[in-house]
Amino acid sequence: MSDPIVFVLDVAPADAAEPAAGWASTVHRVERGTPILEGTDLGATRGDGVFETLGVLSGLPQAISGHFWRLARSAELLELPAPNLEQWLVAMRMAAAALPSDRQGGVKLALSRGIEGSGQPSGWLVATEAEGDFPERTSGIRVATLDRGYSSDLSERAPWLLPGAKTLSYAVNMAALREARRRGAQNAIFVSSDGYVMEAPQSTVLLRRGNTLITPKIDIGILPGTTQMSAFAVAEEWGLETVDRLVPVSELHDSDGVWILSSVALATPITAVDELPIAVDHEFSGRLNAALISRRE
Amino acid sequence: MSDPIVFVLDVAPADAAEPAAGWASTVHRVERGTPILEGTDLGATRGDGVFETLGVLSGLPQAISGHFWRLARSAELLELPAPNLEQWLVAMRMAAAALPSDRQGGVKLALSRGIEGSGQPSGWLVATEAEGDFPERTSGIRVATLDRGYSSDLSERAPWLLPGAKTLSYAVNMAALREARRRGAQNAIFVSSDGYVMEAPQSTVLLRRGNTLITPKIDIGILPGTTQMSAFAVAEEWGLETVDRLVPVSELHDSDGVWILSSVALATPITAVDELPIAVDHEFSGRLNAALISRRE
């Protein structure tokens, strides 16, 4: 895998007009190994910021509108200055164009509150070529369910806990992945304290039961899934029903297929939950991934 | 207030021997405005790291052993390479010495997992002179109680949620402070979903009832408080009883005094909880702060 390629953005306010030299003049690719953030940046000292990762296929970034909508939403939930989406779009396209066009990859957009007291957000982008060819899209992975500690009425009860915001504060998500590996699994699925499926630390959960695709509803305090939205759009074209609702954890064991969905890895089928094998739908995995790969937004 | 002063550490493994040029040779003060972290540092992209902030009085860092014990404990909970405490001690003293000796201030130690895939943690320190003279130590502040979403048996039930670790993932703590301000308060006190007092977003809660000082027990998923430990030591010398136990939120309204304790601000008395005035013990605030200020560790 080549090294990630980093770009720094001179973050403009949402209402700023495009400079005469164009938005591209506000984006700077940095040499490998160059530090870009100060030690007082709230992104680094408090995880106080938001991010998005877009998948890039054949040089084309995917699900742009979904990711940009969610970036703006996360920023609003954190009361950050609204991002200038036009500027970020130019920067994101520059970062995606830096990737080899024959490889899958991703572009991360990161927006922090910036240096404490400055009122000026920091923005940067990281373009990364994917490692390997995603054999898990066909082989599948095992997951461990992990209590997320929150009940399913969290969003309503405690919005200051930032449910639904994709923040730079991911230490718990990373710890959950380590715990899953300790349990012999490759990923985790978070479960609410009252027993409902939430999300994976970096992806959305999808279930198939007969002709219906199901995903946990986001008002239990989870992220809206951009790849899940694409999967639902595809499934509806195929005549399947789609629904978001409360999903009791027992349904993971009582479905015709379970997947985790994310922007770069796309649809990864689950073969076992807490060491118990579950039904695997290889045919649907193949069809769904082919459809996601052939998207042209 | 002067600008914060930043130092970068070439992080050494816990078992590394001191280099011939001394640990001081591994610490570098950086010029104001110099970036020190790459855009792929997991501290910045995932809040994946730990920190401590020590109070500095008359040039002397306070409660060193408590902070260093907690730094090592947080690193262990995050499965980071154990910090070399001898190296950090030298770096911390250099940072503290950079502050004016006639002002109160603090030194933050930050240790992240480093650049993704490198296995090499990043370390840095920020020395900051305190703003103002802490009038709130006498005037007190109002707090709002905020649901933390977690029940009091969290530590036991879900250690992967990192209860008790002081991580760089503080976006929720910062959001809670904003919510408190929106409610007309100056700070927040987190309450468990089953109604027990936890901690403030950046400090420990202390109550006095008669001759007893009380603090919430840490196994409900909160940080051990370094200033609280000092306060208990002082109080025991004064012949008071000290106890850590479950504290129902109603006790905030039924005490002889409530404080939040932190390393730089020390003991701040609470005058109102959720807009209801509570008993304020100015005499004890004064005595306790005087004792904390005159500590010489």
Side-chain angles (χ1 to χ4, degrees):
Chain A
M1 192 182 69
S2 344
D3 283 314
I5 305 163
V6 178
F7 295 79
V8 174
L9 193 68
D10 296 330
V11 176
D15 58 358
E18 184 167 4
W23 286 123
S25 69
T26 66
V27 188
H28 307 280
R29 179 172 171 162
V30 301
E31 288 300 311
R32 176 173 178 244
T34 309
I36 60 166
L37 293 167
E38 292 190 38
T40 51
D41 194 290
L42 291 162
T45 58
R46 301 292 192 191
D48 198 3
V50 300
F51 76 100
E52 281 297 322
T53 303
L54 289 86
V56 180
L57 295 166
S58 314
L60 294 174
Q62 302 295 308
I64 297 173
S65 57
H67 285 286
F68 274 63
W69 164 77
R70 198 168 63 178
L71 180 72
R73 181 175 185 267
S74 295
E76 192 181 347
L77 290 168
L78 264 73
E79 299 173 59
L80 288 166
N84 186 313
L85 296 183
E86 210 186 323
Q87 181 191 30
W88 278 98
L89 189 63
V90 169
M92 185 277 291
R93 289 195 188 284
M94 286 170 70
L99 290 170
S101 63
D102 59 341
R103 300 276 312 143
Q104 297 183 36
V107 172
K108 176 181 284 196
L109 321 181
L111 171 67
S112 87
R113 204 177 299 276
I115 293 164
E116 198 156 1
S118 73
Q120 171 62 27
S122 300
W124 71 102
L125 303 95
V126 183
T128 311
E129 201 182 308
E131 274 181 90
D133 289 315
F134 302 99
E136 66 277 16
R137 285 182 194 154
T138 43
S139 64
I141 60 167
R142 297 182 300 280
V143 297
T145 59
L146 294 178
D147 185 352
R148 184 62 186 84
Y150 292 143
S151 65
S152 58
D153 63 351
L154 183 77
S155 291
E156 200 178 299
R157 222 175 64 199
W160 48 86
L161 300 177
L162 305 174
K166 198 168 172 79
T167 77
L168 298 175
S169 286
Y170 256 39
V172 161
N173 303 55
M174 301 294 105
L177 292 174
R178 290 193 296 274
E179 175 66 18
R181 282 183 215 116
R182 211 168 2 248
R183 295 181 185 201
Q186 287 88 47
N187 215 316
I189 289 181
F190 282 130
V191 175
S192 69
S193 57
D194 48 349
Y196 295 104
V197 174
M198 296 180 75
E199 61 194 345
Q202 302 175 289
S203 29
T204 312
V205 177
L206 177 77
L207 301 85
R208 184 178 73 73
R209 300 188 84 182
N211 287 323
T212 305
L213 290 190
I214 304 152
T215 198
K217 65 187 182 122
I218 61 168
D219 60 6
I220 65 170
I222 62 174
L223 284 183
T226 53
T227 311
Q228 170 265 315
M229 291 180 218
S230 297
F232 269 28
V234 162
E236 284 158 18
E237 279 176 27
W238 293 342
L240 294 172
E241 282 183 68
T242 59
V243 59
D244 63 314
R245 61 164 167 81
L246 285 174
V247 178
V249 67
S250 61
E251 272 191 55
L252 294 174
H253 297 279
D254 188 24
S255 289
D256 299 310
V258 180
W259 294 263
I260 56 170
L261 304 176
S262 61
S263 297
V264 178
L266 302 178
T268 304
I270 307 302
T271 59
V273 175
D274 298 330
E275 301 184 326
L276 285 176
I278 63 167
V280 183
D281 183 348
H282 291 295
E283 191 272 334
F284 190 79
S285 292
R287 272 213 295 160
L288 180 55
N289 277 315
L292 291 172
I293 287 172
S294 65
R295 276 177 300 173
R296 292 292 173 265
E297 180 171 322
Chain B
M1 191 182 70
S2 346
D3 282 314
I5 305 163
V6 178
F7 295 79
V8 174
L9 193 67
D10 296 331
V11 175
D15 58 358
E18 186 167 3
W23 286 124
S25 69
T26 66
V27 188
H28 307 280
R29 179 171 170 164
V30 302
E31 289 299 310
R32 176 172 178 243
T34 309
I36 60 166
L37 293 167
E38 293 190 37
T40 51
D41 193 290
L42 291 162
T45 58
R46 301 293 192 190
D48 198 2
V50 300
F51 76 102
E52 282 296 323
T53 303
L54 289 85
V56 180
L57 295 167
S58 313
L60 294 174
Q62 302 296 307
I64 297 173
S65 56
H67 285 287
F68 275 62
W69 164 75
R70 198 168 62 178
L71 181 72
R73 181 175 186 266
S74 295
E76 192 181 348
L77 289 168
L78 264 74
E79 300 173 57
L80 288 166
N84 186 312
L85 296 184
E86 211 186 323
Q87 180 190 31
W88 279 97
L89 189 63
V90 169
M92 185 276 292
R93 289 195 189 283
M94 286 170 70
L99 290 170
S101 62
D102 59 341
R103 299 277 312 143
Q104 297 183 35
V107 173
K108 175 180 285 195
L109 320 181
L111 171 66
S112 88
R113 204 177 299 277
I115 292 165
E116 197 155 2
S118 73
Q120 171 62 27
S122 301
W124 71 102
L125 303 95
V126 183
T128 311
E129 200 183 307
E131 275 181 89
D133 290 313
F134 301 101
E136 66 277 17
R137 286 182 193 153
T138 42
S139 64
I141 60 167
R142 298 182 300 280
V143 297
T145 60
L146 294 178
D147 185 352
R148 185 64 188 82
Y150 292 142
S151 64
S152 57
D153 63 349
L154 183 77
S155 292
E156 199 178 301
R157 221 175 65 199
W160 48 86
L161 301 177
L162 305 175
K166 198 168 173 75
T167 78
L168 297 175
S169 286
Y170 256 40
V172 161
N173 303 52
M174 301 294 105
L177 292 175
R178 289 193 296 274
E179 175 66 18
R181 282 184 213 116
R182 210 166 6 246
R183 295 180 184 202
Q186 287 88 47
N187 214 314
I189 289 182
F190 282 132
V191 175
S192 69
S193 57
D194 48 349
Y196 296 103
V197 174
M198 296 181 75
E199 61 194 345
Q202 302 175 288
S203 29
T204 312
V205 177
L206 177 78
L207 301 87
R208 183 177 74 74
R209 300 188 84 182
N211 287 322
T212 305
L213 290 191
I214 304 152
T215 197
K217 64 187 184 122
I218 62 168
D219 59 6
I220 64 170
I222 60 175
L223 284 183
T226 53
T227 311
Q228 170 266 314
M229 291 180 218
S230 297
F232 269 27
V234 161
E236 285 159 16
E237 280 175 27
W238 292 343
L240 295 172
E241 284 184 64
T242 59
V243 60
D244 62 315
R245 60 165 168 80
L246 284 174
V247 178
V249 67
S250 61
E251 272 191 57
L252 294 174
H253 297 279
D254 188 24
S255 289
D256 300 310
V258 179
W259 294 262
I260 56 171
L261 304 177
S262 61
S263 297
V264 177
L266 302 179
T268 304
I270 308 303
T271 58
V273 175
D274 296 331
E275 300 184 327
L276 286 176
I278 62 167
V280 184
D281 183 349
H282 291 294
E283 191 272 335
F284 190 79
S285 293
R287 273 214 294 161
L288 180 57
N289 277 314
L292 292 171
I293 287 172
S294 65
R295 275 177 301 173
R296 290 293 173 263
E297 181 171 319

